[in-house]
Amino acid sequence: MFFKKKKVMFDKVAKFNYELDTNERLKEELKQLALCRNDITRTEYLSRILSLFGKEGLELTLKEFDMLLLLRTKTDQALLERNE
C-alpha cells in the first residue's frame, strides 16, 4: 500500500509566518489561549488554534500545523547558527 505525502505549499508557509510575525490580534488571541491551556483538553486547545488561523484566512489541518511549526523552528535554528 502506498501513501501519498502531503506537502505544505509555499503560500501556506508564507501566510503562516506572516500572520505569526505581523498579526497583533492573532498574537494576542494565541497568548490568551495559552493562558487557558491548563483548563482545556489538548484536543480543544489545538482545535482553537486551528480556528484562530482559520479566522485569519489560513485553513490548516493539524498535520499541516505541525509541519509549519517544525519548519519555522528549523528555520529559526538555522538562522541562529548562521549568526553565531
Side-chain angles (χ1 to χ4, degrees), residues 23-70:
N23 188 325
E24 294 302 322
R25 182 178 60 198
L26 178 62
K27 286 181 192 180
E28 183 59 32
E29 289 175 336
L30 288 170
K31 185 188 331 179
Q32 292 302 318
L33 180 57
L35 295 173
C36 301
R37 177 61 184 105
N38 293 328
D39 301 328
I40 58 178
T41 65
R42 180 181 188 274
T43 302
E44 186 177 356
Y45 181 73
L46 293 171
S47 178
R48 286 188 186 181
I49 286 176
L50 296 179
S51 177
L52 290 174
F53 279 100
K55 281 198 267 184
E56 301 305 323
L58 186 58
E59 296 297 326
L60 299 171
T61 65
L62 186 55
K63 186 172 184 168
E64 288 172 325
F65 179 69
D66 285 342
M67 286 189 285
L68 288 166
L69 284 178
L70 179 61

Side-chain angles (χ1 to χ4, degrees), residues 3-36:
F3 295 98
K4 184 178 179 183
K5 281 189 173 182
K6 182 155 180 158
K7 296 179 182 178
V8 177
M9 303 306 285
F10 177 77
D11 60 329
K12 277 197 175 182
V13 174
K15 175 90 170 139
F16 179 78
N17 286 320
Y18 178 80
E19 293 299 336
L20 279 178
D21 292 338
T22 64
N23 188 325
E24 294 302 322
R25 182 178 60 198
L26 178 62
K27 286 181 192 180
E28 183 59 32
E29 289 175 336
L30 288 170
K31 185 188 331 179
Q32 292 302 318
L33 180 57
L35 295 173
C36 301

